[in-house]
Amino acid sequence: MVSTVAEEPEASSVDGRPIDKELIGDNLDTALDMTLSTSTREDIDWWTATLIGHLNLLVGEELGADDDPKVTSLFSEAYKLLDLRHRPTNETPAFRAFNYLRQTGLLTRRFLTVYSRRRGTGCG
Protein backbone atom coordinates (compact mmCIF):
# COMPACT_ATOMS: atom_id res chain seq x y z
CA MET A 1 0.00 0.00 0.00
CA VAL A 2 1.33 3.45 -0.95
CA SER A 3 0.75 6.42 1.26
CA THR A 4 1.02 10.02 0.09
CA VAL A 5 1.14 13.30 1.90
CA ALA A 6 -1.42 15.85 0.81
CA GLU A 7 0.45 18.80 2.28
CA GLU A 8 3.05 20.68 0.28
CA PRO A 9 6.49 19.82 1.61
CA GLU A 10 8.28 22.51 3.52
CA ALA A 11 10.99 24.36 1.62
CA SER A 12 14.26 22.61 2.03
CA SER A 13 17.90 23.37 2.37
CA VAL A 14 20.52 22.75 -0.23
CA ASP A 15 20.86 19.08 0.78
CA GLY A 16 17.12 18.45 0.46
CA ARG A 17 16.31 18.15 4.16
CA PRO A 18 13.65 20.46 5.61
CA ILE A 19 14.79 23.53 7.52
CA ASP A 20 14.08 22.95 11.19
CA LYS A 21 12.76 26.35 12.24
CA GLU A 22 12.15 25.17 15.80
CA LEU A 23 15.73 23.97 16.24
CA ILE A 24 17.12 27.18 14.80
CA GLY A 25 14.83 29.24 17.04
CA ASP A 26 15.81 27.26 20.14
CA ASN A 27 19.50 27.61 19.28
CA LEU A 28 19.06 31.34 18.76
CA ASP A 29 17.34 31.69 22.13
CA THR A 30 20.12 29.80 23.88
CA ALA A 31 22.97 31.64 22.15
CA LEU A 32 21.42 35.08 22.57
CA ASP A 33 20.74 34.42 26.26
CA MET A 34 24.47 33.93 26.87
CA THR A 35 26.38 36.58 28.76
CA LEU A 36 30.03 37.39 28.29
CA SER A 37 30.75 37.18 32.01
CA THR A 38 29.56 33.57 32.32
CA SER A 39 30.55 32.19 28.90
CA THR A 40 33.78 30.44 28.05
CA ARG A 41 35.57 31.21 24.82
CA GLU A 42 34.97 27.59 23.82
CA ASP A 43 31.20 28.10 24.23
CA ILE A 44 31.32 31.36 22.30
CA ASP A 45 33.19 29.71 19.42
CA TRP A 46 30.89 26.67 19.37
CA TRP A 47 27.70 28.72 19.32
CA THR A 48 29.17 31.07 16.72
CA ALA A 49 29.88 28.14 14.41
CA THR A 50 26.37 26.79 14.99
CA LEU A 51 24.72 30.11 14.20
CA ILE A 52 26.90 30.61 11.12
CA GLY A 53 25.62 27.26 9.89
CA HIS A 54 22.02 28.31 10.46
CA LEU A 55 22.58 31.67 8.77
CA ASN A 56 24.25 30.02 5.77
CA LEU A 57 21.29 27.67 5.47
CA LEU A 58 18.79 30.53 5.47
CA VAL A 59 20.86 32.64 3.07
CA GLY A 60 20.59 29.78 0.60
CA GLU A 61 16.80 30.05 0.52
CA GLU A 62 14.69 32.09 -1.90
CA LEU A 63 13.37 34.88 0.31
CA GLY A 64 12.33 37.45 -2.27
CA ALA A 65 15.43 39.63 -2.28
CA ASP A 66 14.76 40.61 -5.88
CA ASP A 67 11.38 42.07 -4.91
CA ASP A 68 12.01 43.51 -1.45
CA PRO A 69 14.75 46.06 -0.69
CA LYS A 70 14.63 45.21 3.03
CA VAL A 71 15.38 41.56 2.27
CA THR A 72 18.12 42.64 -0.15
CA SER A 73 19.64 44.65 2.69
CA LEU A 74 19.52 41.59 4.95
CA PHE A 75 21.46 39.60 2.38
CA SER A 76 24.07 42.37 2.14
CA GLU A 77 24.50 42.31 5.92
CA ALA A 78 24.80 38.54 5.90
CA TYR A 79 27.42 38.45 3.15
CA LYS A 80 29.53 41.01 5.00
CA LEU A 81 29.16 39.22 8.34
CA LEU A 82 29.92 35.81 6.86
CA ASP A 83 33.03 37.04 5.02
CA LEU A 84 35.99 35.19 6.53
CA ARG A 85 37.84 38.49 7.00
CA HIS A 86 35.18 39.59 9.50
CA ARG A 87 34.99 36.39 11.53
CA PRO A 88 36.80 36.04 14.84
CA THR A 89 40.01 34.03 15.00
CA ASN A 90 41.79 32.43 17.96
CA GLU A 91 43.61 35.75 18.44
CA THR A 92 40.40 37.78 18.59
CA PRO A 93 39.66 39.03 22.12
CA ALA A 94 36.72 37.27 23.79
CA PHE A 95 34.55 40.39 23.92
CA ARG A 96 34.87 40.85 20.14
CA ALA A 97 34.14 37.18 19.49
CA PHE A 98 31.10 37.49 21.76
CA ASN A 99 29.95 40.60 19.89
CA TYR A 100 30.26 38.70 16.60
CA LEU A 101 28.19 35.87 18.10
CA ARG A 102 25.45 38.33 19.04
CA GLN A 103 25.49 40.01 15.61
CA THR A 104 25.25 36.63 13.91
CA GLY A 105 22.41 35.56 16.19
CA LEU A 106 20.39 38.73 15.71
CA LEU A 107 20.81 38.63 11.93
CA THR A 108 19.92 34.93 11.83
CA ARG A 109 16.77 35.68 13.82
CA ARG A 110 15.78 38.31 11.26
CA PHE A 111 16.37 35.82 8.44
CA LEU A 112 14.32 33.18 10.25
CA THR A 113 11.46 35.65 10.62
CA VAL A 114 11.53 36.50 6.91
CA TYR A 115 11.79 32.80 6.01
CA SER A 116 8.80 31.95 8.23
CA ARG A 117 6.68 34.76 6.82
CA ARG A 118 7.54 33.86 3.23
CA ARG A 119 6.63 30.24 3.87
CA GLY A 120 3.33 31.23 5.52
CA THR A 121 4.26 29.69 8.86
CA GLY A 122 4.17 32.78 11.03
CA CYS A 123 7.05 34.47 12.77
CA GLY A 124 10.25 32.58 13.48
Side-chain angles (χ1 to χ4, degrees), residues 45-118:
D45 291 344
W46 190 90
W47 280 107
T48 297
T50 299
L51 296 184
I52 285 171
H54 293 325
L55 182 56
N56 273 319
L57 184 67
L58 291 165
V59 164
E61 292 297 311
E62 172 52 51
L63 300 177
D66 294 337
D67 305 322
D68 188 339
K70 290 180 183 179
V71 176
T72 303
S73 177
L74 276 181
F75 275 91
S76 295
E77 287 181 56
Y79 294 140
K80 181 178 179 182
L81 191 67
L82 292 171
D83 186 320
L84 291 175
R85 294 173 293 175
H86 296 113
R87 293 187 192 183
T89 65
N90 290 336
E91 292 77 35
T92 304
F95 70 90
R96 287 197 180 165
F98 184 78
N99 186 49
Y100 182 87
L101 166 69
R102 299 237 356 120
Q103 289 177 327
T104 304
L106 293 170
L107 185 58
T108 303
R109 179 166 279 156
R110 290 168 57 200
F111 263 89
L112 185 60
T113 299
V114 170
Y115 174 83
S116 296
R117 287 181 180 157
R118 294 278 175 177

